[in-house]
Amino acid sequence: MRNVNDILAHRFACKKYKSDPISKSDMISILEAGRLSPTSFGLEAWTFHVAESSALLSSCFYQESMKTSPVTVVITVKRGCFFDPDGAFIRERAERFPGSVEEFIDDYRGYYEFLRDGGRLDGWSRSQAYLACASMMTRAAEMGIQSCAIEGYDNDKVLSVLGLDPELEEVGIVVTFGYPDEPEREKIRISQEEAFIFHYGKDNI
């Protein structure tokens, strides 16, 4: 059985895909990896939109991976206005967890105020999409499906294609998926010695 690091070693940003479609069951398995990903306070303030890549081509500036991929997932996230600790969204999410709603909200309130006062709410919400994106790309690679994360897009145009209100949601990230029609690229990464710094003694490793 391949371990996760081996799968990641062979995942690459695919720019050219075969026209072969991804089955709905395989697509659901990839989406499930996103749904099961970590999310701050368990809020899951995201939605996974599956679309034909051609529908999003112009709103993603005609990028190479968009031209041939059969399917694209747009992860949208809720805007900062949803995260008021006394609002309906937070209460609805809080009701799912053990303990009282009041305990959840009291625990969450200080972090919300930290984000709000620093103007970080929207950025924090978008960052959750990256967690899901990484899980989905890894699951896809395990299945022999490659992907490419797209950060170059017109937010309002993408939302318009999806029929969404930019006052309520924004794009977290866009990801193309498909079977590769190009050779696997060499994995180029800095060394472990350069990347890893341990801030405790060797006896603790």
Side-chain angles (χ1 to χ4, degrees):
M1 177 181 290
R2 297 167 68 196
N3 65 38
V4 172
N5 285 350
D6 180 56
I7 293 167
L8 289 171
H10 295 282
R11 198 215 71 79
F12 65 97
C14 189
K15 304 299 183 182
K16 187 178 180 182
Y17 299 94
K18 296 178 180 178
S19 60
D20 302 7
I22 300 174
S23 70
K24 185 174 182 179
S25 61
D26 284 350
M27 202 67 234
I28 288 174
S29 184
I30 292 168
L31 293 166
E32 181 70 350
R35 189 182 71 89
L36 295 174
S37 297
T39 171
S40 187
F41 277 88
L43 294 179
E44 298 179 82
W46 52 33
T47 308
F48 303 90
H49 300 267
V50 185
E52 292 183 355
S53 299
S54 58
L56 296 161
L57 188 56
S58 64
S59 57
C60 293
F61 310 121
Y62 299 94
Q63 291 186 57
E64 192 66 28
S65 65
M66 297 290 299
K67 293 179 180 178
T68 58
S69 66
V71 64
T72 291
V73 175
V74 180
I75 305 176
T76 61
V77 296
K78 296 191 181 302
R79 299 295 302 265
C81 58
F82 279 87
F83 300 116
D84 186 326
D86 299 310
F89 175 74
I90 296 300
R91 178 164 290 273
E92 179 264 321
R93 288 296 196 255
E95 288 172 347
R96 306 179 304 164
F97 296 106
S100 71
V101 171
E102 288 70 26
E103 288 173 334
F104 181 95
I105 292 175
D106 285 347
D107 184 46
Y108 165 76
R109 189 181 300 278
Y111 188 56
Y112 165 80
E113 292 172 353
F114 164 74
L115 295 171
R116 180 201 61 196
D117 294 348
R120 300 184 181 96
L121 280 172
D122 284 337
W124 166 70
S125 185
R126 286 193 304 273
S127 70
Q128 308 307 303
Y130 284 73
L131 297 171
C133 172
S135 296
M136 291 165 63
M137 291 193 297
T138 302
R139 174 62 180 133
E142 183 183 22
M143 302 162 68
I145 297 168
Q146 288 296 347
S147 58
C148 185
I150 305 291
E151 295 182 284
Y153 52 81
D154 184 311
N155 180 76
D156 289 353
K157 285 186 178 180
V158 173
L159 294 178
S160 178
V161 171
L162 300 176
L164 302 175
D165 185 347
E167 295 295 317
L168 301 178
E169 297 186 69
E170 64 180 323
V171 178
I173 196 163
V174 177
V175 196
T176 60
F177 291 97
Y179 295 98
D181 194 24
E182 61 177 322
E184 179 183 327
R185 292 196 203 88
E186 177 188 1
K187 180 69 72 173
I188 300 172
R189 292 292 185 271
I190 61 176
S191 68
Q192 292 184 1
E193 289 74 19
E194 186 176 355
F196 306 157
I197 299 176
F198 290 92
H199 293 271
Y200 52 86
K202 291 183 179 179
D203 291 342
N204 295 322
I205 298 175

